[in-house]
Amino acid sequence: MSNTWLPTLITDTPEEGYQLAIKMSRMGVKYTQPSDEVRDKLRPQYAESADSLIAVSQVVATNFQTVAAANNYWKA
Amino acid sequence: MSNTWLPTLITDTPEEGYQLAIKMSRMGVKYTQPSDEVRDKLRPQYAESADSLIAVSQVVATNFQTVAAANNYWKA
Amino acid sequence: MSNTWLPTLITDTPEEGYQLAIKMSRMGVKYTQPSDEVRDKLRPQYAESADSLIAVSQVVATNFQTVAAANNYWKA
Amino acid sequence: MSNTWLPTLITDTPEEGYQLAIKMSRMGVKYTQPSDEVRDKLRPQYAESADSLIAVSQVVATNFQTVAAANNYWKA
Amino acid sequence: MSNTWLPTLITDTPEEGYQLAIKMSRMGVKYTQPSDEVRDKLRPQYAESADSLIAVSQVVATNFQTVAAANNYWKA
Amino acid sequence: MSNTWLPTLITDTPEEGYQLAIKMSRMGVKYTQPSDEVRDKLRPQYAESADSLIAVSQVVATNFQTVAAANNYWKA
């Protein structure tokens, strides 16, 4: 895993911050299950389950808290 | 996904902040499952399950924490 | 949903803050499942399940964190 | 529910703060299920389930975060 | 439960802070299920279940957040 | 468990901070289930389950919040 996927927590806009939070959430899975093949095979398990999708949104919400604080909530 | 759905975390009132937190929570699902059709099909799974509805409220509570901090808790 | 259910996060006492956190937690469910009838029908599902009741208390704890911070922990 | 169960978040020691967090966690359940009889009946459901006990500890940890911040971590 | 198990949140090192977070997490279970015998009987339920072990780590992470903030992240 | 696995929360980059959060998350499991053999046996349980992988990412997100705050979000 090269040193580039998370060079900074700073983003220009809240939406870019939210997309970074999504990337961080996915990396939490990728570090634990590095096989693209296995993760692809698992997609139907979570992408078609309401509870799994809610749990994903919870992880994103937690990571977005971190990114938003890092960016001082994008207040000028 | 255009750059407009989250231009800012700042809202005029706590209730608008709560509604933004709901929107953020739903976007966490939408980014993961972009198909409106699939998400609509899943609605009965969560909208008629107490545990799923509680889990949704947990995601909203986490996102509302972020929005409330961004707005300095709407204190003048 | 009119603008009145969450006019402020400020309360006079910690207990009123805790009751506001409960109201916020319930609104997270109500925004997702607006039907009073469905929500009433679901009550036995969570009100007689230890795990569901624990999950509710988790949502309240998260919302109370927000309310307590907003009120500077009711320190004079 | 009288106004007295949570007069303040301030405690003399971290252990009293932890006990307050436990009380807050239990009140989250009591507000949702006010029947002592039902809650007693549910005790075996959670008191003899590892996952339920872990979930209870999560609620206490979240409430203790709030109490500890309120007490400035009991630093002189 | 004497007043001694949590005299302070201050530790010398992050690792001691992490061990305190583990102790706090276990006490959350112990306060709820005081019987050593029952807790021992439950060990296989969580110690040999991936999901339970992940949930334990979540409780520890939440308590460690509190301890780390109390110690100003052990920054000189 | 020697005193070395967590000498500091300070890292040079956000990515190293994220890797520390992963290590902290794994240690939460290791402290609870010290047997390498049992933990290896459990790997298929979580590494091939979408919900377990999401739950792991949640623990990492919580620990990363702590590490990011410790590093002042790696802002110069």
Side-chain angles (χ1 to χ4, degrees):
Chain A
M1 200 77 60
S2 85
N3 213 344
T4 58
W5 78 270
L6 193 57
T8 175
L9 298 183
I10 305 309
T11 69
D12 292 335
T13 68
E15 182 166 332
E16 282 172 31
Y18 196 86
Q19 288 160 348
L20 177 58
I22 288 171
K23 182 174 173 180
M24 289 159 65
S25 306
R26 289 177 178 161
M27 289 302 286
V29 172
K30 190 167 181 177
Y31 270 101
T32 310
Q33 176 51 274
S35 157
D36 294 344
E37 199 201 324
V38 171
R39 291 199 314 278
D40 291 345
K41 201 184 67 184
L42 293 178
R43 185 166 164 78
Q45 262 190 33
Y46 66 88
E48 289 160 35
S49 151
D51 286 347
S52 299
L53 289 167
I54 294 166
V56 167
S57 194
Q58 179 65 47
V59 182
V60 173
T62 305
N63 280 315
F64 185 66
Q65 271 193 348
T66 309
V67 175
N71 286 273
N72 192 30
Y73 307 102
W74 296 279
K75 289 189 272 198
Chain B
M1 199 75 62
S2 86
N3 212 344
T4 58
W5 78 270
L6 193 56
T8 175
L9 298 183
I10 306 310
T11 69
D12 293 336
T13 68
E15 182 166 331
E16 283 173 33
Y18 196 87
Q19 288 161 349
L20 178 58
I22 288 172
K23 182 174 173 180
M24 289 159 65
S25 306
R26 289 177 179 162
M27 289 303 287
V29 172
K30 190 166 181 178
Y31 271 101
T32 310
Q33 177 50 275
S35 157
D36 294 343
E37 199 200 322
V38 171
R39 291 199 314 277
D40 291 345
K41 202 185 66 185
L42 293 178
R43 185 166 164 78
Q45 260 190 34
Y46 65 88
E48 290 159 35
S49 152
D51 286 346
S52 300
L53 289 167
I54 294 165
V56 167
S57 194
Q58 178 66 44
V59 182
V60 174
T62 305
N63 280 316
F64 185 66
Q65 271 193 348
T66 308
V67 175
N71 286 273
N72 193 30
Y73 307 103
W74 296 279
K75 290 190 273 199
Chain C
M1 202 75 60
S2 86
N3 214 344
T4 57
W5 77 270
L6 192 56
T8 176
L9 298 183
I10 306 309
T11 70
D12 293 335
T13 68
E15 182 167 330
E16 282 172 34
Y18 197 87
Q19 287 160 350
L20 177 58
I22 288 172
K23 181 173 171 181
M24 288 159 65
S25 306
R26 289 176 180 162
M27 288 304 286
V29 172
K30 188 167 182 177
Y31 270 101
T32 310
Q33 177 50 275
S35 158
D36 294 343
E37 198 201 321
V38 171
R39 292 198 314 277
D40 292 344
K41 201 185 67 184
L42 294 178
R43 185 165 164 79
Q45 259 190 33
Y46 66 88
E48 290 159 35
S49 151
D51 286 347
S52 300
L53 288 167
I54 295 165
V56 168
S57 193
Q58 178 65 45
V59 182
V60 174
T62 305
N63 280 316
F64 185 66
Q65 269 192 350
T66 308
V67 176
N71 286 274
N72 192 31
Y73 307 103
W74 296 280
K75 289 191 273 200
Chain D
M1 202 74 58
S2 86
N3 214 344
T4 57
W5 77 270
L6 192 57
T8 176
L9 298 182
I10 305 310
T11 69
D12 292 335
T13 68
E15 182 167 332
E16 283 172 33
Y18 196 87
Q19 286 160 351
L20 178 57
I22 288 172
K23 181 173 172 181
M24 289 158 65
S25 306
R26 289 177 179 162
M27 289 303 286
V29 172
K30 189 167 182 177
Y31 271 101
T32 310
Q33 176 50 275
S35 158
D36 293 343
E37 199 201 321
V38 172
R39 290 199 315 278
D40 291 344
K41 202 184 66 183
L42 294 178
R43 184 163 165 80
Q45 260 190 33
Y46 66 87
E48 290 159 35
S49 151
D51 286 347
S52 300
L53 289 168
I54 294 166
V56 167
S57 194
Q58 178 65 45
V59 183
V60 173
T62 305
N63 280 315
F64 184 67
Q65 271 193 348
T66 308
V67 175
N71 286 274
N72 192 29
Y73 307 102
W74 296 279
K75 290 189 271 199
Chain E
M1 200 73 60
S2 85
N3 213 344
T4 57
W5 77 271
L6 192 57
T8 176
L9 298 183
I10 305 309
T11 69
D12 292 336
T13 67
E15 181 166 333
E16 283 172 33
Y18 196 88
Q19 287 160 350
L20 177 58
I22 287 173
K23 181 174 173 180
M24 289 159 66
S25 306
R26 288 178 180 161
M27 288 304 286
V29 172
K30 189 167 181 177
Y31 272 101
T32 310
Q33 176 50 275
S35 158
D36 294 343
E37 198 201 323
V38 171
R39 291 198 315 277
D40 291 343
K41 202 184 67 182
L42 294 178
R43 185 163 165 80
Q45 261 190 33
Y46 66 87
E48 289 159 35
S49 151
D51 286 346
S52 300
L53 289 167
I54 294 165
V56 167
S57 194
Q58 178 64 46
V59 182
V60 173
T62 304
N63 281 315
F64 185 66
Q65 273 193 344
T66 308
V67 175
N71 286 273
N72 192 30
Y73 307 102
W74 296 278
K75 290 189 270 199
Chain F
M1 201 74 60
S2 85
N3 214 346
T4 57
W5 78 271
L6 192 57
T8 176
L9 298 182
I10 306 308
T11 69
D12 292 336
T13 67
E15 183 166 332
E16 283 172 33
Y18 196 87
Q19 288 160 349
L20 177 58
I22 288 173
K23 181 175 173 180
M24 288 158 66
S25 306
R26 289 177 178 162
M27 288 304 286
V29 172
K30 189 167 181 178
Y31 271 101
T32 309
Q33 176 50 274
S35 157
D36 294 343
E37 199 201 324
V38 172
R39 292 199 313 278
D40 291 345
K41 201 184 68 182
L42 294 178
R43 185 165 164 78
Q45 261 190 34
Y46 66 87
E48 289 159 37
S49 150
D51 286 347
S52 300
L53 289 167
I54 295 165
V56 167
S57 194
Q58 179 65 47
V59 182
V60 174
T62 304
N63 280 316
F64 185 66
Q65 269 192 350
T66 308
V67 175
N71 286 272
N72 192 30
Y73 307 102
W74 297 279
K75 289 189 272 198

